[in-house]
Amino acid sequence: MDGTVGGGGHAAAILQASAPTGRLLGCDRDGAALEAAGRRLAEYAGRLELRQANFADLTGWVGPESCDGVLLDLGVSSPQLDWPERGFSFQQDGPLDMRMDQQQLLTAADLVNDASVLELTRLFRELGEEPAAARLARRIDEARRLARLVSTRELAALIERVKPRRGRRLHPATRVFQALRMAVNDELGSLRRGLAVALEVLKPGGRLAVITFHSVEDRVVKAFGNEQARDYVTGGAVDVPELRQPVAPRVRWVSRKAIQPAPAEVAANPRARSAQLRVMEKC
Ligand SMILES: C[S@@+](CC[C@H](N)C(=O)[O-])C[C@H]1O[C@@H](n2cnc3c(N)ncnc32)[C@H](O)[C@@H]1O
């Protein structure tokens, strides 16, 4: 199961590696991505089934204990970033959209213009780990009282005025854009539900591989794996040995540490620089 088919790169590699009989189920929330992936993967049509769906909603489609592997390659795809009209990138001008599923109603413009200062501060802090969260939320509020903020460059320019760019460090708008994108698409909610669902659809001995691109989502994956790998549950509000009840672990970590791309891979594909791969095996 490839829960994040995107441009179909991993899907093609899985189909090649599992030839001639391996079957792949693939989904993505983004209908445009899925269409492009369908064209790219046409030669594997007999072994491939694609659907537009959130990977958190797989159970109606994929049977329990039916998969040898599940891959979740989180975040946005290169085409999503490169199409200005999707509104994911602060490098290019486009509408403040950021919806992965374009049938969804909520857009980034709705959040930027209608969420309270307190809510924006919380989003920037919790989802973007933005140190200037409160200051940025207040400045957005001042600006939107004059006119609705509608474009990505407009928002990025406002952020640059509050936090001027210093050298080659992270662009000042990176964290705010990450936070808005994650909130618009409820990415942490989908990830939490998706991890639990992935364990249900895996056969015993099957593997779940998750690629994350920033620490907020990596922490969720690591905490989930650690919890499922534990051989006890705590019997009270605190974890003390006296209150522990033994249980069979549901997974084991395939490698204790996250796997990172080698320098050659980052040189060939700079967008891979922050990727972290964690792999667990269902017991
Ligand atoms: C990093 S890209 C995947 C790239 C893909 N592995 C490839 O080889 O081209 C992430 C993709 O996951 C999709 N996505 C993110 N969250 C999702 C979710 N909860 N359910 C389904 N698709 C999701 C995005 O729309 C995007 O196309």
Side-chain angles (χ1 to χ4, degrees):
M1 172 79 219
D2 181 351
T4 49
V5 168
H10 284 121
I14 294 167
L15 284 157
Q16 273 158 24
S18 63
T21 54
R23 287 181 47 76
L24 183 70
L25 304 174
C27 75
D28 201 291
R29 289 173 88 172
D30 184 335
L34 213 59
E35 250 174 58
R39 283 194 297 275
R40 175 173 181 182
L41 302 168
E43 64 182 289
Y44 305 105
R47 301 196 280 126
L48 171 67
E49 196 185 318
L50 294 177
R51 280 205 191 180
Q52 184 176 358
N54 187 326
F55 59 63
D57 302 324
L58 286 183
T59 37
W61 170 32
V62 186
E65 305 209 335
S66 63
C67 295
D68 298 295
V70 176
L71 169 66
L72 304 178
D73 178 17
L74 302 175
V76 274
S77 66
S78 289
Q80 284 168 337
L81 282 173
D82 294 339
W83 289 331
E85 61 273 26
R86 300 298 299 271
F88 285 106
S89 168
F90 49 79
Q91 312 277 12
Q92 314 180 65
D93 201 15
L96 274 173
D97 188 319
M98 303 195 192
R99 290 168 302 166
M100 287 177 180
D101 174 358
Q102 289 182 292
Q103 286 156 10
Q104 176 183 305
L105 291 179
L106 182 77
T107 66
D110 296 329
L111 283 182
V112 167
N113 291 289
D114 301 332
S116 67
V117 172
L118 223 62
E119 185 62 3
L120 286 179
T121 306
R122 186 185 70 77
L123 293 181
F124 298 162
R125 196 172 281 148
E126 290 177 10
L127 301 179
E129 299 187 308
E130 169 56 67
R135 196 151 45 98
L136 285 167
R138 281 197 304 273
R139 291 296 286 273
I140 288 173
D141 190 46
E142 284 164 20
R144 70 189 182 180
R145 282 168 193 269
L146 303 176
R148 250 180 112 74
L149 293 163
V150 293
S151 86
T152 51
R153 279 305 310 156
E154 203 180 352
L155 178 61
L158 183 154
I159 297 169
E160 279 177 72
R161 286 198 296 279
V162 181
K163 288 178 60 182
R165 195 166 190 177
R166 294 217 186 87
R168 289 172 57 80
R169 295 235 298 260
L170 209 63
H171 187 284
T174 307
R175 294 175 185 280
V176 165
F177 271 63
Q178 173 184 308
L180 289 172
R181 194 201 81 209
M182 291 179 72
V184 166
N185 298 292
D186 183 26
E187 291 181 37
L188 287 187
S190 292
L191 177 58
R192 291 196 178 96
R193 290 191 291 131
L195 290 170
V197 163
L199 272 200
E200 279 177 43
V201 302
L202 275 178
K203 294 175 185 169
R207 288 184 174 187
L208 167 61
V210 190
I211 303 173
T212 60
F213 288 86
H214 54 81
S215 48
V216 179
E217 56 190 15
D218 185 53
R219 275 200 291 275
V220 172
V221 178
K222 191 174 164 187
F224 175 82
N226 284 343
E227 182 162 339
Q228 299 296 326
R230 274 210 311 238
D231 56 4
Y232 66 87
V233 288
T234 53
V238 285
D239 180 12
V240 286
E242 293 78 0
L243 295 178
R244 288 179 183 173
Q245 317 268 345
V247 288
R250 291 188 75 204
V251 305
R252 70 166 191 90
W253 283 113
V254 172
S255 73
R256 265 265 138 228
K257 290 187 71 167
I259 300 163
Q260 280 154 359
E265 184 174 356
V266 177
N269 176 17
R271 281 178 179 162
R273 65 188 176 279
S274 47
Q276 307 235 58
L277 166 66
R278 294 191 186 271
V279 187
M280 54 195 99
E281 188 175 283
K282 183 167 170 176
C283 298

